[in-house]
Amino acid sequence: FSQVDYMREKWNLSAGTRYEFNRIDSNKENRRPMFKLGANYQVAKKTYLRANYGEGYRFPTIGERYVDDKVAILRVFPNPNLKTEFGWTAEIGVKQGFKIGNWNGQADWALFWQEYTDLIEFRFNQYEPATLEKPMGTFGFKALNLQQARVAGTEISVSGNGNIGDVMINVLAGYTYSFPVNLANDTASRNPITYFGKFIKSFGGVDSVYAASKLLPYRNRYLVKGDIDISYRKLNIGYGVQYYSKFDNMDPLLYVLIPGLSQFMNRIGSGDWVHQARIGMNISPNATISFLINNLTNLEYATRPARMDAPRTFNLQLKVKI
């Protein structure tokens, strides 16, 4: 790999390239150089504009190609012919610093655009035909290549810190929205202008029929995060929350084969809020002991289909700087 950086007055430019290859036994991968470009311009004292472009590969894992899981309730099939996934990402954004009294902060907004060729996705289907022993055949998941996919989105974040007397407060909030489309199913959206029009309209909602047939499955279109940290002398208290919107597209057969899935999805509604809390104490200049609670409300939620995330957990943590 190589990278060149150039700084002059209010400009900060960078360009780089790398060459990657990967091989598992006799499987050969396509090899090619990949590039990245970036530019940052300081418009004002605390205002920065940026633009970035980068390319990347994702090689199929050994599990995606060769694992044949016959034990699990939902069978996982191997796909030794899986191709390497290739994609590129472009982004434009602006960062604005601000100061209110003794509070300092920054706001950041970005618009991103991602293109994928041979995107690797697990798909649920009947991969073994019906037999006398198995009249319904065998259903399960297999990693497949999608010919072409596109994901555009926007991200907004605000962070800041300040103090009220002896109390120091740090806050962070962020929102991400994405519109993941399978261009093999929505061929009209291969036209970037058509796709961008649908992307803008999707902020107001997506038709359920379109979502079930055109969007990439098992994706959260909306993500929200927030965190506040309060410090007073040796004491530190924090609280965080994440929001995951529901999956707009899931394989319909999962509702038939997984008991309780329909009730679970109905319970989710539009999405799930997951909370965390923490309290810590500096017991010396180099040591901190903390008590953390993840999934504070003990919510039943899943960021992957049919795979529950952890229930409420308690952790006692000791950090020592050496």
Side-chain angles (χ1 to χ4, degrees), residues 212-277:
S213 59
K214 311 297 184 184
L215 295 186
L216 296 174
Y218 316 124
R219 303 293 181 102
N220 307 102
R221 283 193 297 125
Y222 302 90
L223 296 173
V224 178
K225 63 180 179 181
D227 189 89
I228 183 170
D229 191 84
I230 301 173
S231 300
Y232 176 70
R233 296 183 179 178
K234 295 184 178 182
L235 182 66
N236 178 275
I237 299 174
Y239 169 79
V241 63
Q242 288 87 35
Y243 171 78
Y244 305 92
S245 65
K246 69 174 183 179
F247 299 129
D248 291 294
N249 184 5
M250 289 182 63
D251 291 296
L253 284 172
L254 288 178
Y255 290 96
V256 178
L257 297 176
I258 301 179
L261 182 59
S262 295
Q263 294 87 334
F264 176 76
M265 294 303 294
N266 290 333
R267 196 275 306 159
I268 289 175
S270 60
D272 284 318
W273 291 92
V274 184
H275 304 261
Q276 300 87 34

Side-chain angles (χ1 to χ4, degrees), residues 85-187:
E85 172 185 313
F86 173 75
W88 60 261
T89 299
E91 177 197 67
I92 57 172
V94 58
K95 180 180 291 186
Q96 176 65 57
F98 59 88
K99 182 177 177 65
I100 304 174
N102 62 349
W103 287 74
N104 292 288
Q106 61 181 21
D108 190 280
W109 170 83
L111 177 68
F112 60 86
W113 189 291
Q114 300 171 322
E115 295 278 347
Y116 295 96
T117 302
D118 292 323
L119 177 69
I120 299 173
E121 289 272 349
F122 273 97
R123 287 302 177 92
F124 187 77
N125 210 332
Q126 181 186 34
Y127 292 108
E128 287 185 355
T131 62
L132 292 176
E133 293 78 13
K134 296 182 178 180
M136 293 184 62
T138 305
F139 290 83
F141 287 94
K142 178 188 284 190
L144 301 175
N145 290 113
L146 303 186
Q147 183 180 10
Q148 191 177 6
R150 179 178 294 147
V151 182
T154 186
E155 190 170 46
I156 303 170
S157 65
V158 179
S159 61
N161 61 77
N163 63 285
I164 301 175
D166 294 333
V167 179
M168 175 61 70
I169 302 175
N170 290 276
V171 294
L172 170 68
Y175 166 82
T176 302
Y177 175 78
S178 60
F179 186 55
V181 174
N182 183 350
L183 298 181
N185 292 340
D186 186 1
T187 55

